[in-house]
Amino acid sequence: MKRNILYAAILLLFVTISCTDQDDQSPKLTEDFNRERLKTAEIDAGNLSSARLSGDIEGFMSTANEALISQNLQLSAIEAYAADGEGIVVYFNNRGNKQLSADFVPGDPRRGGFLDIAYARDGTEGATSSGLSQGDTDAAVLSAMSTWDGVTCSDGLIITNLGASNFDLGYVEALVTNGVEGSFFFTDIMHSGFNTTVTDAIYGPGSNVLGVTFTFIWLDDDGNPSDIDNNGKDDVAFRDIYYNDEFSWAIGNHIDVETVALHEAGHGLSQAHFGTLFQTESNGEFHFAPRAVMNAGYTGIQTSIKRTDRAGHCSNWSMWPNN
Ligand SMILES: [Zn+2]
């Protein structure tokens, strides 16, 4: 009899531990996560604390780059996606080259020699302030990635899903916290989750930045941006994407996760902002012309690729991996 009680107690303990382990994560996704494509570049980012939280973006970049030079890495671009109609990155005119001045190199040995583009998602950070679990936001991010994957001009482009991490993904997150949050791992494109750490560090608390994409490039041995495929563009090491958890996020409603993820993934795939913002005098509302996923501001749900988005994507990827 005593033995049965002991067994029952052990079983109860085991079940309790098992359930506790699975509280925050989706076991299926984490079991499938492919770590083989992760690279690491750990740096001492302690001196970034003085640059962050001040809204001094240039100061942050130069301080980060002083620390990154030892890894032949540089932060070359920070692109913000603004909430509608206020603050920074709202009035702009960018009708020229839709591509960034930095691009992935097919088969780049520094990225492991792969011809595909891999992406990873943070499996630990959902939009918790809006009551959305990681599973809720992750499904929207996955849908956005499959939308870009479905653009038919890029038959040669294979986009590989590495899965959702079972640790806090995010290189910039690690930079601005000196490794306390995020991690010094990277792969080609990272959806590094919802938090306030990164957007607050770069733009200050209460900014109008919904999402942000950081582009990192490789340096050559002389410390200059490299262009090993001689296409006139710096060679991308990886891109790191964040969503600002200070906003009220939703699925299929304002502010729609998939809409913002589709935009940020466009940056991940080397597209820049596009379109001009106008304000209608009679009602004060903002609108873009032409309307595109790659407009710099959020103006409503937009989960399909528009003509200019497709043109920009195809100009960049149609020849891949032979460009
Ligand atoms: Zn953007």
Side-chain angles (χ1 to χ4, degrees), residues 166-195:
N166 54 0
F167 57 91
D168 189 1
L169 199 68
Y171 196 87
V172 173
E173 202 177 347
L175 280 181
V176 300
T177 63
N178 203 20
V180 174
E181 295 175 43
S183 51
F184 288 106
F185 291 106
F186 60 89
T187 192
D188 301 342
I189 299 171
M190 300 197 293
H191 289 274
S192 296
F194 288 72
N195 59 63

Side-chain angles (χ1 to χ4, degrees), residues 6-127:
L6 183 63
Y7 284 158
I10 289 169
L11 184 66
L12 185 66
L13 184 67
F14 179 74
V15 169
T16 307
I17 290 169
S18 302
C19 290
T20 308
D21 268 358
Q22 292 171 7
D23 268 352
D24 306 318
Q25 298 163 5
S26 163
K28 181 180 172 295
L29 290 170
T30 53
E31 280 167 18
D32 290 345
F33 185 61
N34 180 357
R35 284 171 171 261
E36 290 170 19
R37 294 285 291 267
L38 292 182
K39 301 181 90 63
T40 185
E42 192 159 346
I43 62 169
D44 179 1
N47 56 352
L48 274 175
S49 59
S50 59
R52 72 190 194 95
L53 290 172
S54 64
D56 175 12
I57 299 171
E58 283 183 21
F60 166 77
M61 276 185 95
S62 64
T63 310
N65 281 338
E66 280 172 30
L68 285 162
I69 199 164
S70 65
Q71 304 291 324
N72 281 5
L73 283 168
Q74 293 283 272
L75 175 57
S76 76
I78 307 175
E79 290 179 281
Y81 190 49
D84 176 33
E86 46 180 283
I88 59 168
V89 209
V90 172
Y91 290 98
F92 69 98
N93 188 349
N94 187 357
R95 287 176 169 279
N97 187 353
K98 287 191 284 292
Q99 298 161 21
L100 303 175
S101 61
D103 205 357
F104 290 106
V105 175
D108 192 333
R110 298 162 295 183
R111 292 188 301 106
F114 297 98
L115 291 175
D116 60 340
I117 297 294
Y119 72 95
R121 289 127 39 217
D122 185 306
T124 69
E125 292 177 322

Side-chain angles (χ1 to χ4, degrees), residues 254-269:
H254 187 78
I255 292 167
D256 180 46
V257 174
E258 183 173 342
T259 297
V260 180
L262 191 64
H263 175 93
E264 301 305 336
H267 287 312
L269 291 163

Side-chain angles (χ1 to χ4, degrees), residues 74-268:
Q74 293 283 272
L75 175 57
S76 76
I78 307 175
E79 290 179 281
Y81 190 49
D84 176 33
E86 46 180 283
I88 59 168
V89 209
V90 172
Y91 290 98
F92 69 98
N93 188 349
N94 187 357
R95 287 176 169 279
N97 187 353
K98 287 191 284 292
Q99 298 161 21
L100 303 175
S101 61
D103 205 357
F104 290 106
V105 175
D108 192 333
R110 298 162 295 183
R111 292 188 301 106
F114 297 98
L115 291 175
D116 60 340
I117 297 294
Y119 72 95
R121 289 127 39 217
D122 185 306
T124 69
E125 292 177 322
T128 48
S129 68
S130 309
L132 297 180
S133 70
Q134 191 278 333
D136 295 333
T137 56
D138 198 46
V141 170
L142 273 176
S143 183
M145 291 307 294
S146 80
T147 299
W148 280 115
D149 198 19
V151 178
T152 49
C153 70
S154 49
D155 286 346
L157 171 63
I158 294 168
I159 298 175
T160 301
N161 175 8
L162 301 182
S165 65
N166 54 0
F167 57 91
D168 189 1
L169 199 68
Y171 196 87
V172 173
E173 202 177 347
L175 280 181
V176 300
T177 63
N178 203 20
V180 174
E181 295 175 43
S183 51
F184 288 106
F185 291 106
F186 60 89
T187 192
D188 301 342
I189 299 171
M190 300 197 293
H191 289 274
S192 296
F194 288 72
N195 59 63
T196 57
T197 304
V198 170
T199 44
D200 282 5
I202 309 298
Y203 297 100
S207 77
N208 71 333
V209 174
L210 287 177
V212 58
T213 301
F214 298 85
T215 296
F216 291 81
I217 58 168
W218 297 113
L219 297 181
D220 63 21
D221 288 339
D222 298 324
N224 300 313
S226 76
D227 180 15
I228 62 170
D229 56 345
N230 295 308
N231 68 346
K233 298 178 184 178
D234 297 340
D235 302 335
V236 171
F238 65 101
R239 290 196 171 98
D240 195 13
I241 296 165
Y242 296 87
Y243 305 89
N244 186 350
D245 201 25
E246 278 170 32
F247 285 89
S248 178
W249 294 93
I251 303 296
N253 216 323
H254 187 78
I255 292 167
D256 180 46
V257 174
E258 183 173 342
T259 297
V260 180
L262 191 64
H263 175 93
E264 301 305 336
H267 287 312

